[in-house]
Structure formats: structure tokens, C-alpha cells
Amino acid sequence: MAILMLDTNLWSYLATETAADKLDATLAKAGHKVVVPPLMLREVLDTPDAAKRDATVRLMCHRAWKKLPSEIDLEAEQLTTEIRRLRPEWLRAIPKTDRLHSFRDYWSKVYWREAVQKTNEVIARKNASELGDKTAAEIARVQAANKAANASWPFAPVDFRVAALSAVTAEDHPNPDPGAKLGWPPDTPVLLWRVNTRDVWWYQLIRETGVAIMRGEDTTVTDFLGAYVDVRAMVSDRASFNRFFLFEMQPWRVSRQWWRGTLEIL
């Protein structure tokens, strides 16, 4: 049996060429199983052609496909394990897991159902959560600057090994925030995937522990990570935060961070 994760372009094509039940029967006969992550559905919801979007959403949300946990849920789970090993002082004395089940139920069941039944409402909520949010733009700016500062970039699309081994020093790191260099010794190269991962988590956590709560904006990252980790304690010591991401966490223990951080370099 093969487990298949179809690209959004393929979902869009299949939505115009076949019905969900027929596709399910064909794949089942071949012994295949389809899995779909929430992030992929979120991407399809941005399709400007409403008819094409709705058809693709209906196909992706069919009951036959296995809905995967939220990407941030899986990333937070790995990160929490590494925090437990390296920074136990960041853990909550009493885990706050009372809402964790409802978060997971939403992303694995409710979200998909609402995407079909209340498509416009789901899109409106998504757009509202992104409105005025400067975090993504800031992350993209820093990552672009990281690439520009690295002499080995750009890489060929297939040059994954070079990207994974690409490094930068604090002196060459273009982030104007002086806190980004705390805990980073001079002339010490750090793999670029670590720098990208550190930047992503820092900006997300700072936003969600600040104005996002007051404005009622999206707090998905802290919803999951905050179940076991005291996020405010985590961001209270910038040097310790930097050392954790830049030097201490092991890539095989946070494989999702390594994978995403490396792909973002390419």
C-alpha cells in the first residue's frame, strides 16, 4: 500500500475530471491511501476562481481521505520534547492541556467540515487573521536577507545537500535586531536552517504573546506549544532562546524544523 499526498495542482485537476467516490474506489482498488494536511486546504482556499475553489475544496474534504494533524501541532510536539530535554525551566509546572483536544479536533474535523459548508466564513476568518499581521512579512524579509548574505546562494533546485550545510556568522547575519546576536559568539558559523528556524519561532511567539491576543488575532502557534511550554518564560531570555535554536537542539529530534528550515533556503 502506498500513502499518497497529492499536490494542490493535482487536486484542482482531479476536481474537474472525476468524482470523489470514483477516485476513492480507483485508489482503494490499487491499495493506495490519501492523506491531506490542513495547510494544503488553506492554500486552496486562496484560489481566486470561486467555482474552481469550491469544487477542489469539496474533493479534498471528502470523508475517504485521512486528515492529518495541523503542521504546527506536529512541530510544537517535537519542539516541546527538545525543550523538556534542554530547557526544563521553560515548561509549565502544570500542563495547560484542557483545550488541546478541542484544537486538534478543530483542525482534523471541524475545519474541513466548515470549509465545505461555510466556505466564505472560513475564508473571511483566515483573511481577518492575516490582516495587518506583519509577522509573515518580517520573516520573509529576514530570510531573504539571509539568502542574500550567503555567498553560496542561490543554489540549484537539486542542490539540497549544499543548502543543508550552508552557514552564516553573527557578523554576516543581516537582521538589524541586536537581540538576534545575543548568545551567538563572534566568528561562529551557524547552519542557516537553524537561523531561519530561530527567526520564524521568535517572530511568531512575540506576536502571539503580544498584540495578537489583544486584537483577537490567530494564536495557533501558542495554542499548541503553550499547552506544555510557558511561552512567556521561553522568550524572556533572548540569549538562552538563541542558543537553544542556534546551537543546542539536535536536528534529528526536530526533523520538521530541519526540513522546513532547509527548504526555505532553496
Side-chain angles (χ1 to χ4, degrees), residues 142 145-152 165-196 198-199 242 246-247:
V142 172
N146 286 346
K147 292 178 180 180
N150 191 282
S152 300
L165 297 175
S166 179
V168 66
T169 63
E171 292 74 22
D172 294 330
H173 184 46
N175 194 333
D177 178 5
K181 295 178 174 61
L182 293 176
W184 189 346
D187 300 318
T188 304
V190 173
L191 293 175
L192 201 51
W193 75 264
R194 288 181 175 273
V195 179
N196 281 347
R198 187 276 310 266
D199 290 341
N242 289 343
L246 299 180
F247 301 104

Side-chain angles (χ1 to χ4, degrees), residues 65-97:
W65 327 131
K66 179 177 176 56
K67 312 307 187 294
L68 296 178
S70 167
E71 289 78 7
I72 191 59
D73 184 6
L74 299 174
E75 288 192 17
E77 185 176 32
Q78 286 188 342
L79 196 62
T80 299
T81 299
E82 195 67 339
I83 287 172
R84 185 172 288 111
R85 185 177 74 90
L86 297 169
R87 293 290 190 281
E89 64 273 20
W90 289 353
L91 295 173
R92 291 183 179 277
I94 301 176
K96 192 177 180 181
T97 58

Side-chain angles (χ1 to χ4, degrees), residues 157-227:
V158 296
D159 207 352
F160 191 82
R161 184 173 182 273
V162 174
L165 297 175
S166 179
V168 66
T169 63
E171 292 74 22
D172 294 330
H173 184 46
N175 194 333
D177 178 5
K181 295 178 174 61
L182 293 176
W184 189 346
D187 300 318
T188 304
V190 173
L191 293 175
L192 201 51
W193 75 264
R194 288 181 175 273
V195 179
N196 281 347
T197 299
R198 187 276 310 266
D199 290 341
V200 167
W201 280 96
W202 176 258
Y203 287 113
Q204 288 282 14
L205 295 177
I206 288 300
R207 182 190 73 83
E208 292 194 13
T209 55
V211 296
I213 294 177
M214 294 184 291
R215 295 176 180 173
E217 296 174 356
D218 178 55
T219 56
T220 302
V221 173
T222 50
D223 287 343
F224 285 106
L225 185 65

